[in-house]
Amino acid sequence: MSDELSFVWTWYGQDEHAWALASCEAFRCLEFLTLDAQEQERAICGCPGCETWSGKILPLHDWLEKCPGSQVPEFRDALQEVWERCNELTDDALGCYDHNIYADETWIPVRAAARIALEKGGWETLREHVESVVTGCDRRLSPWRYREE
């Protein structure tokens, strides 16, 4: 476990709320990707292949495209590794309406890479505060949602 604070705290403090919000989403996705097969199966309600790809993997690519990875190269490189492992998942590992997809052996390197990325990003220092960080970012990015009537 890393004792280093997550870079998200820096971005949040610098009012880089879009980056901080994208990072929180990426961390949540990484956390899902570290789960064992049975936990992943229970966490997805609809089509496992579709929901996993669109809701748990594509946000990682969004982070790689939108956030300044040069400021956090160790995390960026670890996240890039997860993205690459996800792109190596077999068709069976992302099958539609098959709740056993997570037992496919190609998920093993994805889980290992996701654990490393969480550590490199300082997830443990953010984890218990992620909801308040997400809400704080959302309030600043979309203030009209929080106007009192």
Side-chain angles (χ1 to χ4, degrees):
M1 182 174 93
S2 174
D3 292 332
E4 201 168 314
L5 285 176
S6 177
F7 59 88
V8 175
W9 293 116
T10 302
W11 287 351
Y12 187 74
Q14 293 172 340
D15 292 334
E16 297 293 355
H17 298 106
W19 296 345
L21 190 58
S23 299
C24 289
E25 178 67 17
F27 278 127
R28 288 173 167 169
C29 294
L30 288 167
E31 190 167 51
F32 169 82
L33 294 175
T34 67
L35 298 175
D36 67 35
Q38 290 177 335
E39 292 172 312
Q40 286 177 315
E41 185 179 327
R42 284 191 299 268
I44 298 293
C45 297
C47 172
C50 297
E51 284 192 38
T52 299
W53 185 259
S54 63
K56 305 298 184 185
I57 295 174
L58 284 181
L60 306 179
H61 183 260
D62 291 345
W63 190 97
L64 290 165
E65 293 291 314
K66 296 176 184 175
C67 294
S70 61
Q71 292 184 14
V72 287
E74 286 187 20
F75 178 72
R76 178 206 55 221
D77 293 349
L79 192 62
Q80 182 67 42
E81 180 70 18
V82 176
W83 173 247
E84 290 171 9
R85 297 296 73 80
C86 288
N87 279 285
E88 293 172 355
L89 289 167
T90 64
D91 289 343
D92 289 341
L94 287 170
C96 283
Y97 300 105
D98 178 1
H99 288 274
N100 294 316
I101 63 172
Y102 306 110
D104 189 277
E105 66 183 26
T106 57
W107 278 103
I108 295 169
V110 171
R111 290 183 184 104
R115 283 184 200 96
I116 292 168
L118 285 174
E119 181 185 345
K120 298 289 183 187
W123 174 236
E124 288 301 319
T125 67
L126 178 65
R127 184 184 208 170
E128 69 182 81
H129 307 285
V130 72
E131 293 303 322
S132 62
V133 172
V134 167
T135 300
C137 290
D138 195 48
R139 283 182 176 276
R140 286 165 184 83
L141 293 169
S142 306
W144 59 89
R145 290 188 203 168
Y146 299 92
R147 290 191 183 143
E148 291 184 31
E149 306 213 10

